[in-house]
């Protein structure tokens, strides 16, 4: 290994899997063609064309509630040549951040954090581009406040940003500078606004209308100039429950002149309303202030009239859309398209998309068309903390488990290329959909069919085996026979699995079973709020979509492992696939014992006592002779594991030591020897060696800036005993350290030593934004030197990540 090892290591992002925070206003589609959404504290950016997540943006310290592109896809028709696009994100602490994307190189920049005005979580951000360099946006919060901002972007990126507060005024644009002005602040009282939408009023340049709705069941309209205060115009009554979503169309053109604008609103009353604001004529007084028109009988029939500058607008209910069976969370107009006529800049389609708690989306149009809408692939992933990951024994896929109560399989699909020309990764199966948060998983390393064991917030571990439908899908994904070839698949008689009503076990569907259609319409005395559909396991020839993943890719549960007194917390399997070790949450020595299970018979063959609190991680040495465990009690334990000729398991405690000052979260063995690493909340990583049935510390790495929460050691060169140690931290950052183990003879004693050097600090834009829960190297092919490897990671930020590491 050369001395300039550090400069030779290259790390590239391969895959990110992440789920969207389950909150309204979280997703935004930009004129850039990219889509943004919040995933825990990160903003995720993905490309709809490839269904791949491009990057995540770190910066927020709380869950991201909403995102808004500037410009959004509503203005894509007039910003086709814009080089820089901007994104706003708001979080549960009330923080709003402005981001900049350079389309030429795809690089992101955290431009600024707005002066914190909201005292509680931001619930909605809406914005419009009034020119290529000028945007107006508004934000609302559960603290009852609404703020209206203007931002002037630099014509040349990279300049500084200036702030301006009341009295508001429009600064001149200086070269290289960007100016942010707070135009106004509105306080709506105890019934907060949760939905906003901004628009320019037709026939009235420089005047804007802001619609807001929330907990008082009304739509409130405010009008203002781009440089002045916003005043209350009127309120629209009709909904009988909370307003959840609002969206203005662009001004609707009649005879090449914009005369009206449409507002769509949705509510928890299951109803969608379309409001029309039509230009009436000049109604300004001599002072140019806003006033309401004289109330007449017609205004009661048609709706209110409001005045903005020299013009007045008549509001009427254009349509009432009834069809959803539950709360309507989101509505949006179809984005305008560039018009073929020179006289009209765009065409605003009269088409609305709505999404509801009834699990349906609907497209609403004045006349029925023959459009055939088909679901497309999108990025998928967990929507809660990802607690554990494991590679398939031959590295074909990554298996992950999460507090979202699912187990997921991510794999590269051979014929679906990403923009970089390599196979793109997708979720290809969801083997377990459970009724408890899942804490740990391990894949059985023995030959034969794919199997794994998972542990959740329950006292039983569960064993799953791959059905025939998954094996064939995996072969399609890899375009080659997997580690379980087709000639052996004939022995697999299970096609898939069905979920039980409580979501706690999964029953097999056999290959030759006849499907029985259950009569769900009969009066059987049961009135269930939600039925579970029968699974239809099939072989997928392309990456499956969400509806298929949710029901049709389950694996059957084959065994339950009873014994622990509390919820499962950690699992591991030995290298030969003969033993599984399990631990549970514990506050006493008796409960903290480690159970050993024999693969196949699934009998308990050992109960190892050493720790007094929860065992946080375990790992077998690479020769399977030793089992390492670390615990909340700040100690590690090393057990000797021996199998006799009669297949009986003999074990004893080899060493136990208080190794750190705080909880030990992570451990990992050297693949080429009996050295191991431990990582702790005390921000240290220590290297230890097992010698003559005792353990000695041989190195402490320099202190890290954050608690160490995950470790994984991979071998590089067996002859020189060199490897890479991946270190994951509570901050979400990941570092790679080069370790070289040497042994020198001191008389009759062999003295181990280790040389360590920092190789790579991964870019924060490549890392997690919350604690790294697990790191796992893909086991390299058996060869003396390893030049290209893959590292998988998972974290509390709901993300699963895969990296290419080249040395």
């Amino acid at each position: 290994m050369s001395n300039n090892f550090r400069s030779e290591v290259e790390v590239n992002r391969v895959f990110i899997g992440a789920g969207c925070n389950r909150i309204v206003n979280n997703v935004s589609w930009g004129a850039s063609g990219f889509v943004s959404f919040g995933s825990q504290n990160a903003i995720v950016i993905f490309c709809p064309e490839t269904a791949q997540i491009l990057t995540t943006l770190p910066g927020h310290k709380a869950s991201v509630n909403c995102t808004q592109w500037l410009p959004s896809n509503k203005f894509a028709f007039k910003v086709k040549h814009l080089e820089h696009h901007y994104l706003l994100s708001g979080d549960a602490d009330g923080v709003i951040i402005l981001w900049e994307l350079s389309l030429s190189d795809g690089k992101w920049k955290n431009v600024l954090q707005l002066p914190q005005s909201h005292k509680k979580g931001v619930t909605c951000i809406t914005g419009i581009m009034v020119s290529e360099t000028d945007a107006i946006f508004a934000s609302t919060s559960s603290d009852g406040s609404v703020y209206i901002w203007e931002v002037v972007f630099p014509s040349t990126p990279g300049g500084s940003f200036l702030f301006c507060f009341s009295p508001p005024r429009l600064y001149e644009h200086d070269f290289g500078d960007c100016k942010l002005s707070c135009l106004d602040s509105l306080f709506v009282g105890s019934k907060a606004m949760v939905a906003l939408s901004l628009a320019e009023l037709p026939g009235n340049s420089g005047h804007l209308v802001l619609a807001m709705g929330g907990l008082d069941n009304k739509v409130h309209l405010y009008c203002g100039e781009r440089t002045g205060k916003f005043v209350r115009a009127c309120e629209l009554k009709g909904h009988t429950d909370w307003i959840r979503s609002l969206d203005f169309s662009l001004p609707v053109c009649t005879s090449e002149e914009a005369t009206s604008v449409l507002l769509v609103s949705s509510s928890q009353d299951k109803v969608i309303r379309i409001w029309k604001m039509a230009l009436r004529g000049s109604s300004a007084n001599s002072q140019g202030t806003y006033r309401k028109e004289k109330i007449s009988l017609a205004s009661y029939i048609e709706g209110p009239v409001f005045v903005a500058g020299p013009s007045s607008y008549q509001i009427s209910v254009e349509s009432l859309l009834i069809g959803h069976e539950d709360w309507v969370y989101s509505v949006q107009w179809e984005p305008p398209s560039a018009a073929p006529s020179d006289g009209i800049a765009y065409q605003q389609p009269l088409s609305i998309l709505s999404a509801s708690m009834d699990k349906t989306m609907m497209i609403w149009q004045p006349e029925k068309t023959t459009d055939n809408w088909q679901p497309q692939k999108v990025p998928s992933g967990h929507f809660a903390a990802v607690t554990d990951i494991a590679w398939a024994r031959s590295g074909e896929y990554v298996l992950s488990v999460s507090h979202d109560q699912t187990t997921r399989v991510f794999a590269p699909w051979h014929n679906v290329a990403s923009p970089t020309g390599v196979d793109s990764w997708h979720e290809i199966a969801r083997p377990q959909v459970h009724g408890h948060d899942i804490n740990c998983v391990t894949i059985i390393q023995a030959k034969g069919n794919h199997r794994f064991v998972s542990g959740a917030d329950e006292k039983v571990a569960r064993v799953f085996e791959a059905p025939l439908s998954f094996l064939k899908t995996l072969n399609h994904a890899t375009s080659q026979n997997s580690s379980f070839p087709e000639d052996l698949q004939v022995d697999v008689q299970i096609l898939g699995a069905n979920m039980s009503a409580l979501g706690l076990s999964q029953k097999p569907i056999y290959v030759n079973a006849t499907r029985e259609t259950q009569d769900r319409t009969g009066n059987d005395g049961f009135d269930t709020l939600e039925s579970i559909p029968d699974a239809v396991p099939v072989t997928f020839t392309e990456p499956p979509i969400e509806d298929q993943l949710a029901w049709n890719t389950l694996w059957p549960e084959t065994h339950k492992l009873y014994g622990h007194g509390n919820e499962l917390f950690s699992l591991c399997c030995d290298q030969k696939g003969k033993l599984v070790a399990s631990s549970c949450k514990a506050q006493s020595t008796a409960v903290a014992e480690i159970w050993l299970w024999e693969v196949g018979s699934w009998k308990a063959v050992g109960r190892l006592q050493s720790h007094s609190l929860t065992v946080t991680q375990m790992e077998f040495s690479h020769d399977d002779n030793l089992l390492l465990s670390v615990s909340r009690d700040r100690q590690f334990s090393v057990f000797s594991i021996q199998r006799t000729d009669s297949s009986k398991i003999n074990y004893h405690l080899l060493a136990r030591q208080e190794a750190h000052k705080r909880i030990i979260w992570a451990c990992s063995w050297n693949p080429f020897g009996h050295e191991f690493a431990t990582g702790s909340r005390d921000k240290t990583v220590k290297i230890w060696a097992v010698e003559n049935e005792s353990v000695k510390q041989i190195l402490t790495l320099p202190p890290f800036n954050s608690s160490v929460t995950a470790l994984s050691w991979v071998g590089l060169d067996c002859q020189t005993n060199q490897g890479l140690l991946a270190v994951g931290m509570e901050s979400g950052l990941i570092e790679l350290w080069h370790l070289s183990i040497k042994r020198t003879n001191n008389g009759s004693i062999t003295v181990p030593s280790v040389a360590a050097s920092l190789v790579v600090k991964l870019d924060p834009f490549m890392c997690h934004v919350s604690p790294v829960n697990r790191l796992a190297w893909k086991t390299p092919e058996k060869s003396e030197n390893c030049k290209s490897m893959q590292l998988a990671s998972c974290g509390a930020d709901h993300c699963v990540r895969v990296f290419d590491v080249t040395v």
Side-chain angles (χ1 to χ4, degrees):
M1 199 67 63
S2 62
N3 293 328
N4 60 339
F5 181 82
R6 178 170 182 172
S7 63
E8 295 176 354
V9 174
E10 182 179 353
V11 180
N12 293 302
R13 180 193 300 115
V14 173
F15 168 72
I16 303 173
C20 181
N21 290 340
R22 295 183 292 172
I23 190 168
V24 184
N25 303 319
N26 194 255
V27 180
S28 180
W29 197 318
S32 61
F34 300 140
V35 176
S36 63
F37 62 85
S39 182
Q40 209 243 4
N41 299 354
I43 300 104
V44 175
I45 308 297
F46 82 86
C47 176
E49 293 181 358
T50 61
Q52 293 292 293
I53 293 176
L54 305 179
T55 189
T56 57
L57 309 181
H60 287 282
K61 304 300 181 186
S63 182
V64 176
N65 286 346
C66 48
T67 62
Q68 175 67 40
W69 282 91
L70 294 174
S72 68
N73 61 346
K74 185 183 292 187
F75 300 94
F77 68 93
K78 65 177 182 179
V79 292
K80 294 181 178 179
H81 306 293
L82 205 60
E83 293 184 4
H84 294 86
H85 290 247
Y86 296 85
L87 178 68
L88 290 160
S89 57
D91 69 24
D93 283 347
V95 172
I96 299 174
I97 296 178
L98 177 67
W99 309 83
E100 179 188 83
L101 166 65
S102 171
L103 289 182
S104 60
D105 57 12
K107 290 186 177 179
W108 283 87
K109 182 171 66 174
N110 183 330
V111 177
L112 63 88
Q113 178 176 317
L114 273 65
Q116 184 140 2
S117 305
H118 296 296
K119 302 299 185 291
K120 294 182 179 179
V122 180
T123 54
C124 184
I125 301 175
T126 183
I128 59 172
M129 299 292 294
V130 293
S131 73
E132 283 200 359
T133 58
D134 197 356
I136 306 290
F137 65 92
S139 60
T140 186
S141 165
S142 51
D143 63 6
S145 66
V146 177
Y147 283 85
I148 302 157
W149 308 82
E150 179 185 39
V151 60
V152 181
F153 302 118
S155 54
T156 303
S160 60
F161 284 73
L162 303 178
F163 299 95
C164 169
F165 288 91
S166 298
R169 61 190 181 89
L170 188 64
Y171 277 88
E172 292 184 0
H173 176 61
D174 297 327
F175 179 79
D177 288 344
C178 181
K179 302 179 180 66
L180 177 73
S181 303
C182 182
L183 296 180
D184 204 355
S185 59
L186 307 171
F187 296 92
V188 297
S190 59
K191 294 189 175 182
M193 298 293 111
V194 297
L196 299 174
S197 187
L198 260 175
E200 292 185 273
L201 285 168
N204 195 345
S205 62
H207 286 79
L208 306 174
V209 58
L210 172 65
M212 60 179 73
L215 280 57
D216 65 356
N217 309 346
K218 303 173 186 177
V219 177
H220 301 268
L221 298 182
Y222 285 77
C223 293
E225 299 181 44
R226 286 168 47 184
T227 58
K229 290 279 187 179
F230 277 67
V231 297
R232 187 182 186 87
C234 63
E235 61 185 35
L236 309 179
K237 299 178 181 179
H239 287 292
T240 59
D241 208 334
W242 291 5
I243 310 293
R244 298 313 302 243
S245 183
L246 296 166
D247 189 40
F248 276 113
S249 70
L250 287 191
V252 179
C253 297
T254 303
S255 300
E256 300 185 4
E257 182 180 353
T259 58
S260 63
V261 64
L262 299 174
L263 172 67
V264 61
S265 61
S266 70
S267 166
Q268 292 180 185
D269 63 8
K270 311 175 188 177
V271 174
I272 299 168
R273 289 174 176 263
I274 302 175
W275 314 82
K276 183 177 181 179
M277 301 179 192
L279 179 65
R280 294 185 71 197
S282 177
S283 299
N285 57 24
S286 57
Q287 286 78 33
T289 58
Y290 307 98
R291 61 178 176 82
K292 291 184 180 179
E293 287 257 319
K294 182 179 179 181
I295 297 176
S296 64
L297 180 62
S299 68
Y300 284 106
I301 298 173
E302 296 179 337
V305 174
F306 70 91
V307 178
S311 305
S312 62
Y313 299 86
Q314 174 71 60
I315 300 179
S316 59
V317 177
E318 183 77 1
S319 187
L320 201 65
L321 309 179
I322 300 174
H324 284 295
E325 298 177 355
D326 213 328
W327 298 356
V328 185
Y329 271 132
S330 181
V331 285
Q332 193 169 66
W333 290 98
E334 182 180 341
S337 57
S341 166
D342 293 336
I344 302 176
Y346 59 87
Q347 289 179 333
Q348 172 64 64
L350 295 181
S351 178
I352 294 171
L353 175 65
S354 63
S356 167
M357 197 173 175
D358 65 10
K359 300 183 181 179
T360 67
M361 295 184 296
M362 293 186 181
I363 295 175
W364 307 82
Q365 295 172 336
E367 297 179 359
K368 187 174 182 180
T369 64
T370 58
D371 294 339
N372 183 21
W373 290 87
Q374 296 294 328
Q376 300 298 300
K377 293 185 292 294
V378 294
S380 66
H382 296 284
F383 53 86
V386 188
T387 49
D388 206 354
I389 50 172
W391 285 94
R393 61 178 179 269
S394 298
E396 305 101 316
Y397 57 83
V398 170
L399 184 74
S400 62
V401 296
S402 165
H403 284 168
D404 69 3
Q405 304 184 349
T406 67
T407 299
R408 302 178 189 235
V409 172
F410 299 97
W413 199 282
H414 179 66
N415 290 323
V416 184
S418 68
T420 58
V422 299
D423 295 346
S424 61
W425 283 63
H426 301 270
E427 183 181 353
I428 67 168
R430 203 167 294 170
Q432 183 183 10
V433 179
H434 202 38
H436 297 290
D437 294 2
I438 308 177
N439 300 322
C440 49
V441 71
T442 188
I443 289 180
I444 306 303
Q445 300 299 319
K447 293 181 179 180
N449 198 1
H450 300 258
R451 290 174 291 176
F452 72 87
V453 184
S454 68
D457 276 347
E458 55 180 346
K459 300 175 184 179
V460 56
R462 298 174 187 268
V463 184
F464 296 84
E465 184 167 337
L468 188 60
S469 58
F470 172 81
L471 298 175
K472 292 185 176 180
T473 296
L474 184 62
N475 281 349
H476 277 288
T478 58
S479 292
Q480 58 187 6
N481 284 340
S482 67
S483 56
F484 189 57
E486 288 189 6
D487 58 344
L488 297 180
Q489 293 178 17
V490 294
D491 295 330
V492 179
Q493 297 301 310
I494 295 176
L495 185 62
N498 266 319
M499 189 188 306
S500 68
L502 296 178
L504 294 179
S505 62
Q506 295 167 193
K507 305 299 183 183
I509 300 174
Y510 291 94
V511 172
N512 297 320
T514 58
R515 291 186 56 83
E516 296 181 0
T517 304
Q518 183 178 353
D519 182 10
R520 299 181 183 271
T521 61
N523 184 11
D524 55 4
F526 294 98
D527 182 17
T528 57
L529 293 176
E530 186 174 329
S531 61
I532 297 176
D534 290 333
V536 185
V538 295
T539 301
F540 296 106
T541 57
E542 61 181 22
I545 59 174
E546 176 63 27
D547 192 48
Q548 297 164 331
L549 288 166
W551 306 110
N552 301 330
T553 61
L554 295 172
W555 292 18
E557 179 184 312
T558 59
H559 293 86
K560 295 181 178 70
L561 309 183
Y562 294 98
H564 286 289
N566 282 332
E567 299 91 338
L568 271 292
F569 196 83
S570 179
L571 287 162
C572 72
C573 180
D574 66 0
Q575 313 303 318
K576 298 181 180 67
K578 295 182 177 181
L579 284 179
V580 168
S582 62
S583 71
C584 69
K585 297 177 183 179
Q587 292 185 331
S588 66
T589 302
V591 179
E593 61 186 0
I594 298 168
W595 285 59
L596 296 179
W597 309 87
E598 184 179 55
V599 174
S601 69
W602 297 110
K603 294 179 180 178
V605 293
R607 296 168 66 173
L608 286 57
Q609 287 194 356
S610 177
H611 296 285
S612 58
L613 294 174
T614 303
V615 173
T616 55
Q617 189 178 2
M618 303 171 291
E619 189 174 293
F620 284 92
S621 61
H622 289 259
D623 59 8
D624 286 340
N625 292 330
L626 300 174
L627 173 64
L628 170 65
S629 62
V630 294
S631 167
R632 286 180 174 269
D633 63 12
R634 309 176 186 180
Q635 298 182 344
F636 68 73
S637 297
V638 178
F639 300 90
S640 173
I641 308 291
Q642 300 294 331
R643 185 184 292 268
T644 64
D645 293 338
S646 60
S647 297
K648 182 181 178 181
I649 303 299
N650 291 331
Y651 53 86
H652 69 273
L653 178 64
L654 200 66
R656 180 178 63 217
Q657 186 169 332
E658 184 166 333
H660 292 268
K661 298 178 181 178
R662 303 289 298 276
I663 293 172
I664 307 176
W665 284 121
C667 63
S668 188
W669 283 100
N670 173 15
F672 300 140
H674 282 174
E675 297 81 25
F676 62 88
T678 56
S680 166
R681 183 179 283 176
D682 65 11
K683 303 181 181 180
T684 64
V685 171
K686 298 181 179 181
I687 312 297
W688 311 79
V690 180
E691 293 289 333
N692 300 321
E693 297 200 353
S694 65
V695 177
K696 296 179 181 179
Q697 181 181 342
I698 56 177
L699 183 68
T700 300
L701 297 184
F704 293 85
N705 294 325
S706 180
S707 299
V708 176
T709 54
L711 294 173
S712 187
W713 195 332
V714 67
L716 294 177
D717 189 339
C718 182
Q719 292 182 349
T720 58
N721 204 345
Q722 297 188 61
L724 283 179
L725 179 67
V727 180
M729 288 167 272
E730 190 175 37
S731 62
L733 300 180
I734 298 173
E735 296 182 3
L736 300 183
W737 287 74
H738 176 244
L739 301 181
S740 178
I741 307 294
K742 295 183 179 180
R743 295 180 177 275
T744 57
N745 293 324
N746 186 2
S748 60
I749 302 175
T750 302
V751 180
S753 63
V754 58
S757 61
L758 175 62
V759 174
V760 172
K761 286 186 177 181
L762 270 66
D763 188 306
F765 280 82
M766 296 177 67
C767 295
H768 298 272
V769 299
S770 293
V772 181
N773 287 333
R774 192 73 78 224
L775 293 166
W777 290 98
K778 178 179 176 179
T779 304
E781 296 294 329
K782 294 184 182 294
S783 59
E784 290 190 2
N785 296 301
C786 303
K787 296 298 183 183
S788 181
M789 299 161 293
Q790 288 190 323
L791 172 68
S793 67
C794 67
D797 61 356
H798 310 177
C799 289
V800 173
R801 298 170 186 266
V802 178
F803 307 94
D804 268 338
V805 180
T806 306
V807 297

